[in-house]
Amino acid sequence: MELPPAPPLPDLRLVEGDEEVQYVYVELPTSLPEAATSVGTKLSITGLDTDAPRLVIGGRGISAPALHLSGEYGEPLGSVMFFAHSGGGGGGGGGGGGAVSAARYVGHCESVLTFTVAASSVGRL
């Protein structure tokens, strides 16, 4: 049995001021320390409009030096779509009388930005 074709994605153009917004899916190395990916950690991405963006994570002086990562754009395998949680609340999971929640389509991206640890930060992992 063959599935029907998926409907086309809506032409979503997000604008902030005079600038068009573009979503980018970011992949980080799985070897990053937990502290580097915890809530509240300072992240700085520069060069998004170049072929080699840079990501700096953290950095609180000598005791906690920043991690430097180098980025590279690629094409995703399949579609990468973004959804926002909307409605319901509470229900959380499986069966029972929990509230129903839904996801609202926000947008999609056409590129994936993959970061790897820069040579200068390798010894800090």
Side-chain angles (χ1 to χ4, degrees):
M1 177 182 200
E2 193 171 314
L3 296 174
L9 295 173
D11 186 22
L12 182 68
R13 299 249 181 241
L14 298 175
V15 178
E16 190 173 294
D18 293 336
E19 302 275 328
E20 184 174 327
V21 176
Q22 180 179 2
Y23 289 102
V24 176
Y25 180 79
V26 175
E27 289 184 347
L28 297 174
T30 57
S31 61
L32 290 178
E34 188 175 325
T37 57
S38 63
V39 174
T41 300
K42 180 180 173 185
L43 301 175
S44 174
I45 300 177
T46 57
L48 282 174
D49 56 346
T50 69
D51 289 337
R54 307 280 298 167
L55 170 63
V56 178
I57 301 175
R60 294 183 303 274
I62 296 172
S63 63
L67 288 173
H68 296 266
L69 293 94
S70 302
E72 180 177 73
Y73 288 101
E75 292 185 22
L77 297 174
S79 298
V80 178
M81 297 185 285
F82 299 97
F83 294 88
H85 182 268
S86 61
V100 175
S101 62
R104 177 181 51 86
Y105 175 76
V106 175
H108 65 280
C109 70
E110 297 176 9
S111 62
V112 173
L113 177 53
T114 303
F115 281 103
T116 55
V117 177
S120 61
S121 291
V122 169
R124 297 185 192 140
L125 293 181

